Amino acid sequence: MRKTSPAISFLTICLVCLVFASSCGRQNADVIVAGSTSVQPYAEILAEEYERLYPGNAVDVQGGGSAAGITAVQSGAADIGMSSRALKDGEKSLWSVEIAKDGLAIVVNPQNPVTDLTLEQIRKIYSAEITDWSEAGGTRAKIHIITREEGSGTRSAFEDLVMAGGRISAGAIVQDSNGTVRQLVSSDKNSIGFISLGLVDGTVKAVSLGGVEASAANIENGAYGLSRPFLFVCLGEPEGRARQFIDFVLSGEGQRVLTHEGLIPRAEGAVK
Amino acid sequence: MRISPRAGERIVKVLIWAAAMLVMAVLVFIVAYILAKGLHVIDWRFLASAPSNMGRSGGISTTIIGTLMVTVTAVVIAAPLGIGTAFYLAEYTRENFVTKIIRFSAESLAGIPSIVYGLFGLIFFVVYLDMRWSVLSGGLTLALMILPTVIRTSEEAIKAVPYIYREVSFSLGATKWQTIIKAVFPSALRGIANGILLSVGRCIAETAAVILTAGSTLRMPTSLFSPTRTMAVHFYILAREGISMENAYGTAALLIILIFLINVVANTLINRFVAKSR
Amino acid sequence: MRRFKEKLSGRIFFVLALSSISALALITVFIVAKGAPIFVKVGVRDFVFGMSWAPGHGEFGIFPMIVGTLSVTLGAAVLGVPLGICCSIFLTEFAPSVLKSVFRPAIQLLAGIPSVVYGFWGLIFVVPFIRDRIGGPGLSILAGSVILAIMILPTVIMISEVSILALPRQYKQNALALGLTHWQTIRSVMLPAAKSGIVAAVILGVGRAVGETMAVIMVLGNAVALPKSILDPVRTLTTNIGIEMGYASGEHQQALFATGIVLFILIMILNSAAQFITRRK
């Protein structure tokens, strides 16, 4: 007991110094990728594949939403940001590259009799002009609208493509990732939400848009209009390990992984 | 209608028992449900292997290490600071306006929502000090969060040591320093340890302050500067996104067991503390 | 040498204390500094009473969130406080000692369960129950209140119990000797005497409810509109920060820090009230 106390004080002083010393320079060499929850699952698969092929190169993937990813890149917290929407005016100074295209699916509960909606109907539902399923071809029940948080790229894409200037109703339920929206829609019979097309599975049903089914094929041929780019964003021209990872993602190998998972290949094709 | 005291007595007894049983039932329901769904998931493989496929398969080894690293960092920073402050306040200063302000501040800060600490940690440690998402950012944020509690419980424990201990020590010729180390500290140790254990429990269970300071990557953290995911964050992500309910329940079950063990240890300590001071 | 050691140790304690206090002061100053500009830009009245929270359009009114916090907290208090006080009376007056040694650790276990587990449990059981049996989307003020009520129970029970146990034995013995029944004793003598401690317990429980984030973020629905019924989805001050802090920058970020200031003030008021009430005794 009598020996430990000076030791404790000494240790504390060391720690305090460590804290200040640590703020000088980062020592972790992992590539940090953060942002869109739509891009995230694909980035994680790419990261696993990348590490398998090039052991020792670590890539850490986090979510948070498109805006969070862009903010993280600007603040230096992340090396690469993931975005599921095109860059806005204030962000145009950042370096970006499209890694794939993804569709935006409007989903409802599998038990909901509605299978088709027009863009106009969806807009009216989300702005609360239509509040009951019976007005949209379903049974009498109050519609529970589910949207994403403001910083979501998916929401931005939805607002640009569907709302066309109108605002999503303030009474809409807000969830913070594709996964949570999907969970909610699958458990609430009267709900409607929008998620990444690639994440639609058996638990929810994607409605067709004016008769056009939501599928990768229909996006490629242009029949289904709701699609958005998946971007990797960096503060400036990427270098070092970040560059290596991005090169991998754009290569034939990386693109093959993405199309295999259900995404639409980028317009420019794979980079040799 | 006047109820006779006898009847009223009986009615109240029934109500009180009903209330107590309801609360017990709720507790049992929550804990039993999680354990029933999650206990069977916990085996050596679960504890020792890393998550793969975003957590769908594999175990939770990286999150266990992550939780350990972040908690240890937080305690190593907060314990000396908190205990030292408590000793300073209790032994080296007289009760005056300044100490009252400090105590009030510690009380208030102990009640600040953890999300506010998380917001501070994100902007100050992760961005401003450029520590990025890391064990250190998370640990520092948690250290600040538990510091007020450590100060408070330590001070209470120190004050609870009867003054006679100090008197005797002084009368034997000991200095203030020797008195603190040999007479006061050992007696207050149990109470202090109890406070630290409570804070450890808080760190393990904390999600809001950690998710945006330590990050949420699934890789095994290799240094203080690695980002990491703690068990509580892992559970949150798995459960909300429906990635793997099985692993989610397993993680939750492990968390509950851990916290239960910490409670048991803290209780044993405090019981012996109470018994000793009788 | 001894003098030097003495002085050194005194200095070390002082440095430690100074470091702690500086760190805690740093947090306060940082939050106030980061949040104050929005009060200047938007105006305190428009910020606190503004009805519309739409950072994308530059609107920063947090009133719906204040209503959210207050309604969820009130609901939790209405459900949890009576239950909690009854349980503390159970512990002190009615429980046989065997049950006591089970009940008390059970309450402590309840206190230790991570809030995310509560939130998840609420998502699986409480939300569907409300959605299917009562109405609305299930994600609602009611769901949040139920979860928070369970979470504040340990605080209310344990501190109330301490207050009741602290009463001098005389109170109870004298009342019984005068012929009062057990319940009459509790109601007219013991509870009023322990009142300040119980009120403090309630206030601390409420403080915990106000600060809770993760449990409620899963069950509240997080809509930004002013709720019209307890079945409506709602957002609290804490969940607002939780949802948006990852990507907020510039004015938006300032607005979140300003929300933190509001929470700070709320907690300080609650704490002062609790201290004032316990001191009056």
Side-chain angles (χ1 to χ4, degrees), chain A residues 1-2 5-6 8-9 11-12 15-16 18-19 22-28 30 32 34 37 40-41 44-45 48 51 57-63 72 75-79 174-180 182-183, chain B residues 51-56 73 76-77 80-81 125-127 129-133 136 140 177 181-182 185-186 189 211-212 214-219 222-229 236 238-243 245:
Chain A
M1 195 65 69
R2 66 196 93 154
S5 315
I8 292 176
S9 320
L11 243 133
T12 319
L15 259 152
V16 175
L18 178 74
V19 166
S22 67
S23 56
C24 321
R26 331 172 193 145
Q27 277 138 296
N28 197 40
D30 291 356
I32 311 265
T37 62
Q40 185 183 2
E44 301 211 358
I45 297 172
E48 271 189 30
E51 282 165 60
N57 289 305
V59 175
D60 295 332
V61 181
Q62 297 203 159
S75 70
D79 300 304
V174 175
Q175 298 287 285
D176 60 5
S177 77
N178 282 293
T180 49
R182 188 178 60 191
Q183 281 273 82
Chain B
S52 65
N53 196 4
M54 275 170 53
R56 267 185 212 100
T73 308
V76 161
I77 295 174
L81 280 177
F125 295 124
V126 175
V127 177
L129 287 188
D130 200 31
M131 290 186 198
R132 314 224 301 181
W133 291 304
L136 193 57
L140 281 168
W177 169 247
I181 291 303
K182 295 194 193 160
F185 188 59
L189 184 59
I211 196 169
L212 278 176
S216 55
T217 181
L218 284 170
R219 180 181 315 286
T222 50
S223 79
L224 276 179
F225 297 98
S226 308
T228 186
R229 190 188 283 200
Y236 177 66
L238 285 182
R240 283 202 80 192
E241 313 235 348
I243 295 176
M245 282 313 180

Side-chain angles (χ1 to χ4, degrees), chain A residues 24-110:
Chain A
C24 321
R26 331 172 193 145
Q27 277 138 296
N28 197 40
D30 291 356
V31 178
I32 311 265
V33 182
S36 165
T37 62
S38 305
V39 183
Q40 185 183 2
Y42 305 101
E44 301 211 358
I45 297 172
L46 284 168
E48 271 189 30
E49 188 62 26
Y50 180 69
E51 282 165 60
R52 207 181 55 81
L53 292 172
Y54 309 102
N57 289 305
V59 175
D60 295 332
V61 181
Q62 297 203 159
S66 300
I70 293 173
T71 305
V73 161
Q74 286 170 324
S75 70
D79 300 304
I80 302 175
M82 304 180 281
S83 172
S84 61
R85 57 160 170 82
L87 291 182
K88 298 198 177 134
D89 286 331
E91 301 157 352
K92 288 267 161 67
S93 61
L94 298 167
W95 181 94
S96 70
V97 69
E98 183 182 304
I99 64 167
K101 270 211 229 308
D102 177 50
L104 193 64
I106 313 294
V107 291
V108 296
N109 190 281

